[in-house]
Amino acid sequence: MDGVTHFLAGDLRGLAAALGALAVCAVFFAALARVVKPASWVADARTAAGETRINVILSVVDQLTVTPALGLAIAWAASHGPKLAAAPIWDRIGHWPTILAIVFVGDFLGYWRHRAQHSKWLWPAHAIHHSDTRLTWFSLERMHPIDRLGSALDTVVLAALGFPFWAQAANVFVRHYYGYLIHADVPWTFGKAGLVLNTPAMHRWHHARDVEGSGANFATVFSVFDRAFGTYHQPGPCGAPLGVREAMGEGALGQYLHPFKAWTAGLRRRRERTADAAA
Ligand SMILES: [Zn+2]
Ligand SMILES: [Zn+2]
């Protein structure tokens, strides 16, 4: 019982720290919106309130369930992985090059993982993230637990590859907060820097619905992967409608149930097709 109490206390401490960091981000992005869109930032925030409410529920549940499970998975991968790069390598090349290396390798892994999340059978879980029709920085928090476990696979692989723990922590920090930035409701394309870095405009095109460029731009930090693999789309700021075509059900519960309903319906359709072909 002591062990359970200890685990829950640690989990609640983690939740309190996460909520504190979110409060700081909320203040920062509200101030940013006020500077970038002085005439409409309050109205935009009100319009996004319904979607934000769902994101808050999913975020709190995630902090209490998926995040602790991932911590255990990463710790296991770090101690049992093949350790392709031994610790002295990182000591020789130094902190900043190591951080650049892990973020670059992590973004490469994340690019292909994200493309897989857009495949037929993984999409129903990833669709939850895309169902937010009022993209804001906090939309990053809208993820189905199954999709989130998939999203963290690259972190587990990096741990298994032997990157030092401090570099893994730096990578999670950079990717997470850069993730907030590219979801922010600002029209920034970053000019020439957009040829190297992912931008809020690029990621908005990724979330666009039913227009050319929907579903492009899969990386989080670097745009070079999308440029190299033919999925780069940045014609300028994105004013297209956002979201998904499918109905997601009501509120947070509808979001949690959606992939299971979609997979069940998909399997039923497949069985019917097989039966028709056999008849
Ligand atoms: Zn996506
Ligand atoms: Zn997104």
Side-chain angles (χ1 to χ4, degrees), residues 89-104 163-164 166-167 170-171 173-174 222:
I89 290 179
W90 313 120
D91 293 341
R92 273 205 299 277
I93 70 172
H95 277 78
W96 291 111
T98 302
I99 290 172
L100 184 63
I102 193 172
V103 173
F104 195 76
F163 279 100
W166 56 263
N171 175 56
F173 182 87
V174 169
F222 297 103

Side-chain angles (χ1 to χ4, degrees), residues 133 135 182 184-189 199-217 233-243:
T133 57
L135 209 60
I182 62 170
D185 186 11
V186 289
W188 296 341
T189 60
T199 71
M202 277 181 73
H203 200 64
R204 200 154 279 257
W205 283 111
H206 178 71
H207 279 260
R209 195 189 64 210
D210 296 337
V211 293
E212 192 199 341
S214 301
N217 306 332
H233 185 76
Q234 173 146 267
C238 172
L242 310 177

Side-chain angles (χ1 to χ4, degrees), residues 66-77 165:
V66 181
T67 299
L70 281 176
L72 292 175
I74 292 165
W76 186 90
F165 182 75

Side-chain angles (χ1 to χ4, degrees), residues 45-270:
R46 282 207 183 108
T47 311
E51 299 283 21
T52 302
R53 209 171 297 127
I54 293 174
N55 298 344
V56 168
I57 296 169
L58 266 68
S59 176
V60 170
V61 172
D62 182 279
Q63 289 294 333
L64 288 171
T65 57
V66 181
T67 299
L70 281 176
L72 292 175
I74 292 165
W76 186 90
S79 58
H80 291 80
K83 295 185 178 53
L84 298 183
I89 290 179
W90 313 120
D91 293 341
R92 273 205 299 277
I93 70 172
H95 277 78
W96 291 111
T98 302
I99 290 172
L100 184 63
I102 193 172
V103 173
F104 195 76
V105 174
D107 213 40
F108 173 75
L109 295 171
Y111 171 86
W112 289 105
R113 182 258 307 147
H114 193 177
R115 283 191 72 162
Q117 286 168 311
H118 278 250
S119 63
K120 182 182 172 190
W121 287 100
L122 294 182
W123 169 254
H126 188 57
I128 275 70
H129 177 63
H130 278 261
S131 69
D132 194 327
T133 57
R134 300 283 168 185
L135 209 60
T136 67
W137 67 278
F138 199 59
S139 305
L140 177 68
E141 299 287 328
R142 181 184 296 208
M143 281 195 195
H144 194 278
I146 293 173
D147 194 44
R148 180 98 145 89
L149 288 172
S151 292
L153 261 184
D154 26 321
T155 310
V156 175
V157 172
L158 290 170
L161 286 175
F163 279 100
F165 182 75
W166 56 263
Q168 293 170 47
N171 175 56
V172 169
F173 182 87
V174 169
R175 290 179 64 77
H176 188 69
Y177 287 95
Y178 202 82
Y180 281 155
L181 178 67
I182 62 170
H183 284 88
D185 186 11
V186 289
W188 296 341
T189 60
F190 292 174
K192 287 263 188 291
L195 295 172
V196 177
L197 293 171
N198 199 355
T199 71
M202 277 181 73
H203 200 64
R204 200 154 279 257
W205 283 111
H206 178 71
H207 279 260
R209 195 189 64 210
D210 296 337
V211 293
E212 192 199 341
S214 301
N217 306 332
F218 291 94
T220 297
V221 179
F222 297 103
S223 59
V224 291
F225 299 117
D226 285 289
R227 293 177 65 213
F229 301 120
T231 51
Y232 177 77
H233 185 76
Q234 173 146 267
C238 172
L242 310 177
V244 292
R245 282 189 213 160
E246 53 265 64
M248 306 303 291
E250 277 296 304
L253 186 61
Q255 302 263 320
Y256 284 122
L257 295 179
H258 172 75
F260 301 107
K261 287 181 180 169
W263 286 324
T264 308
L267 288 172
R268 197 186 310 121
R269 278 197 301 276
R270 179 187 267 193

Side-chain angles (χ1 to χ4, degrees), residues 24-43:
V24 172
C25 288
V27 172
F28 171 78
F29 282 103
L32 186 67
R34 193 174 173 185
V35 171
V36 176
K37 307 179 297 178
S40 65
W41 73 284
V42 174

